[in-house]
Amino acid sequence: MRSDDTIFAIASGHGRAAVCLIRISGPESGRVLERMAGGLPAPRRAVVRILKDPSSGEPLDQALVLWMPGPESFTGEDQAELHIHGGLATRAAVLRALGSLGHCRPAQAGEFTRRAFLHGRMDLAQVEGLADIIDAETEAQRRQAMRQLGGRLGNAAEGWRDTVLQVLALLEASLDFSDEGDVPEDLEADILRMIDGVRDEIGRAVADRGGERLREGLTVVLAGPPNAGKSTLLNALARRDVAIVSPVAGTTRDVIEVHCDLGGLPVIIVDTAGLRESLDLIEQEGVTRARARAQDADLVLWLVPPDDQPGEPPQARHLLRVGTKADLPGSRQDCDLMIAAATGEGLPGLIARLEQEAGALMGQGDALVTRERHRRALERAQDSLVRARALLVDGGPLELAAEEVRLAARSIGEITGRVDVEDMLDRLFSSFCIGK
Ligand SMILES: Nc1nc2c(c(=O)[nH]1)N(C=O)[C@@H](CNc1ccc(C(=O)N[C@@H](CCC(=O)O)C(=O)O)cc1)CN2
Ligand SMILES: Nc1nc2c(ncn2[C@@H]2O[C@H](COP(=O)(O)OP(=O)(O)OP(=O)(O)O)[C@@H](O)[C@H]2O)c(=O)[nH]1
Ligand SMILES: [Mg+2]
């Protein structure tokens, strides 16, 4: 698979549809149109053409055709689009004809975007933003992904990298021109100020975990004793019968997840087995899983029924006590909220509270860092800057300080994919659809 092959793929959905979009990219794109669409249309003008089989000349479909040549110097970026009718037989016939040409092949997943990256049309952070746009299920996720596609993270990283490279240039100049091998006083103050500035800006970016949470969704686990009303609440929040509800204690064993959109924020509601000691091995496994999920959750709703000593809540990062079955008498000590999932009483208040908690933990899509890859690279850069600063202040070897600054620039460069990212490219682009 060469990156200068001419590739094609269906870029629209995989099912019968009014129109189906086939993308073609590479140096032979023009020849495809000459062989199948009766010649090259004017660049970037949609025209209606009859597509023909290149060997038999048989008409295959009436299509809207787009020819988008790359820069004169480089036909590798030539592109074409065939908007054909979305019928299954038509699609198959056109794909077969394309495959018969011999000078183009089916694209791999994400290969069009990978070429845009390799041709410098977009940086790696923008590629990830594009992937996030396709995966976005809520408004806040879409907003965050659009900002990243628009270059917000990449531009910030390039700014930090420029400053770090300026520091490196000053250090190397000091190495070359000062016979004592140290940095003149006044220059050292400037260098430390520049290092502190980048270190603090990166620190603020990595401290905000809202971006990652927003991509992954906020996990809210429903925990509590058997019969507390967990599954009833899950069904009420999901607005459909997802989990079995019954008066029999120990009904739920498996962990059941439902993805919800609460005020534009992605929230995953997780129903679990009622926490109690049980001789039933299957139920006991359910209880073990319930505790594990509660421990990993961003938020646990600890459901307290009226008629029971709910026992000790599980270990949790963040926990809200929710009194259940408010339609029944009974005291429930110090609950944050009261609901009756069976009647709907109190649910708007609970949902509003969840939206508030989600907003506080995820932000509204304005974070810079959105992936662990970004975080790790920036934390490595921060560590190198801290070590460089200490060497300068303590009068350590200038060569070592310069090397730490060089490492910091390299780590920041990973954000936009300037350096050291080959090994993760396959993983990233294989997560794209075919035709993207
Ligand atoms: N994007 C797209 N692809 C499509 C269609 C479509 O409507 N839109 N088609 C839908 O069936 C089929 C192709 N047939 C088409 C027929 C007419 C026009 C059209 O735009 N006609 C313009 C004049 C075009 C020109 O100036 O050459 C018109 O009639 O005003 C487009 C597609 C399959 N592919
Ligand atoms: N009156 C009243 N009954 C409720 C309410 N919510 C749930 N119940 C009843 O309480 C019983 C248990 O409800 P579930 O939702 O199955 O409880 P659970 O916590 O999932 O139970 P396990 O899966 O066994 O841990 C069922 O009979 C429900 O109909 C409520 O708001 N009011
Ligand atoms: Mg249940």
Side-chain angles (χ1 to χ4, degrees):
M1 301 290 179
R2 296 160 43 104
S3 65
D4 58 357
D5 288 345
T6 296
I7 56 176
F8 63 86
I10 290 178
S12 47
H14 283 264
R16 193 169 152 277
V19 172
C20 160
L21 166 58
I22 294 177
R23 297 181 70 180
I24 303 165
S25 171
E28 299 296 330
S29 303
R31 201 141 74 91
V32 171
L33 298 187
E34 285 163 351
R35 296 284 307 275
M36 290 182 63
L40 277 186
R44 293 170 189 78
R45 265 185 54 81
V47 293
V48 181
R49 291 285 174 84
I50 299 296
L51 295 184
K52 292 186 178 163
D53 182 286
S55 44
S56 67
E58 184 202 357
L60 300 174
D61 191 16
Q62 179 195 49
L64 203 58
V65 174
L66 264 170
W67 165 233
M68 295 167 283
E72 281 308 308
S73 53
F74 181 43
T75 59
E77 287 187 21
D78 286 353
Q79 311 250 10
E81 286 189 0
L82 307 177
H83 295 218
I84 63 173
H85 285 101
L88 300 182
T90 303
R91 297 143 67 114
V94 173
L95 290 177
R96 222 178 10 256
L98 284 165
S100 72
L101 285 171
H103 51 72
C104 49
R105 64 167 170 83
Q108 290 180 315
E111 197 167 2
F112 292 92
T113 307
R114 185 173 197 146
R115 289 183 170 200
F117 167 68
L118 295 174
H119 296 157
R121 295 278 183 213
M122 51 198 323
D123 68 36
L124 202 50
Q126 288 177 300
V127 169
E128 290 168 332
L130 182 57
D132 292 347
I133 280 190
I134 295 167
D135 292 339
E137 294 173 349
T138 71
E139 178 53 20
Q141 284 176 322
R142 183 200 62 75
R143 208 169 25 245
Q144 176 169 281
M146 269 305 285
R147 286 191 175 127
Q148 190 166 320
L149 178 63
R152 189 159 176 270
L153 172 61
N155 296 339
E158 285 303 286
W160 297 329
R161 189 166 176 274
D162 287 347
T163 304
V164 171
L165 290 175
Q166 281 172 45
V167 168
L168 183 58
L170 292 171
L171 291 177
E172 283 173 346
S174 307
L175 274 170
D176 295 345
F177 303 112
S178 74
D179 42 17
E180 300 79 47
D182 61 1
V183 182
E185 283 276 311
D186 57 334
L187 194 53
E188 182 173 308
D190 285 348
I191 286 176
L192 293 181
R193 181 178 41 73
M194 291 161 83
I195 289 178
D196 292 350
V198 174
R199 181 205 57 202
D200 295 348
E201 282 186 38
I202 289 179
R204 280 192 291 278
V206 297
D208 179 359
R209 290 189 172 250
E212 286 164 279
R213 279 204 193 96
L214 182 55
R215 274 191 69 244
E216 289 145 19
L218 189 79
T219 302
V220 178
V221 167
L222 308 181
N227 268 3
K230 301 180 291 302
S231 300
T232 307
L233 176 55
L234 178 83
N235 292 345
L237 291 174
R239 296 204 186 95
R240 63 186 194 279
D241 255 9
V242 185
I244 297 171
V245 163
S246 94
V248 175
T251 302
T252 304
R253 275 67 184 302
D254 284 312
V255 171
I256 305 166
E257 291 188 3
V258 171
H259 285 238
C260 300
D261 176 335
L262 293 189
L265 294 166
V267 177
I268 301 145
I269 310 281
V270 184
D271 184 16
T272 60
L275 300 184
R276 69 174 175 181
E277 294 309 314
S278 168
L279 297 175
D280 175 329
L281 289 181
I282 300 173
E283 183 182 357
Q284 193 46 52
E285 173 57 24
V287 172
T288 306
R289 293 182 184 204
R291 290 193 190 285
R293 291 306 295 265
Q295 204 160 346
D296 292 345
D298 294 307
L299 173 64
V300 169
L301 298 188
W302 176 245
L303 271 55
V304 180
D307 49 4
D308 202 334
Q309 296 311 318
E312 275 310 298
Q315 271 194 346
R317 278 196 200 115
H318 193 38
L319 182 134
L320 280 178
R321 292 173 65 89
V322 179
T324 62
K325 308 188 187 181
D327 55 315
L328 300 179
S331 72
R332 300 165 196 78
Q333 299 81 9
D334 53 49
C335 284
D336 300 287
L337 296 132
M338 288 298 294
I339 61 165
T343 64
E345 183 192 337
L347 287 187
L350 173 62
I351 290 171
R353 183 63 183 270
L354 288 179
E355 282 182 23
Q356 183 192 354
E357 297 284 343
L361 287 167
M362 292 196 273
Q364 287 298 328
D366 44 15
L368 274 175
V369 168
T370 60
R371 290 173 185 240
E372 189 179 1
R373 179 184 84 82
H374 308 150
R375 164 179 314 291
R376 290 198 184 289
L378 292 175
E379 284 168 349
R380 278 197 304 277
Q382 239 184 337
D383 293 345
S384 298
L385 290 173
V386 167
R387 284 193 293 271
R389 187 188 206 285
L391 282 164
L392 288 168
V393 168
D394 301 345
L398 216 44
E399 296 82 349
L400 281 186
E403 183 53 24
E404 288 295 352
V405 172
R406 190 175 295 108
L407 288 174
R410 172 174 289 278
S411 299
I412 297 171
E414 289 179 28
I415 298 290
T416 53
R418 279 171 172 272
V419 289
D420 287 357
V421 288
E422 283 65 32
D423 61 326
M424 61 79 64
L425 289 182
D426 287 339
R427 197 168 57 247
L428 173 65
F429 288 106
S430 60
S431 71
F432 276 73
C433 327
I434 296 272
K436 192 72 204 116

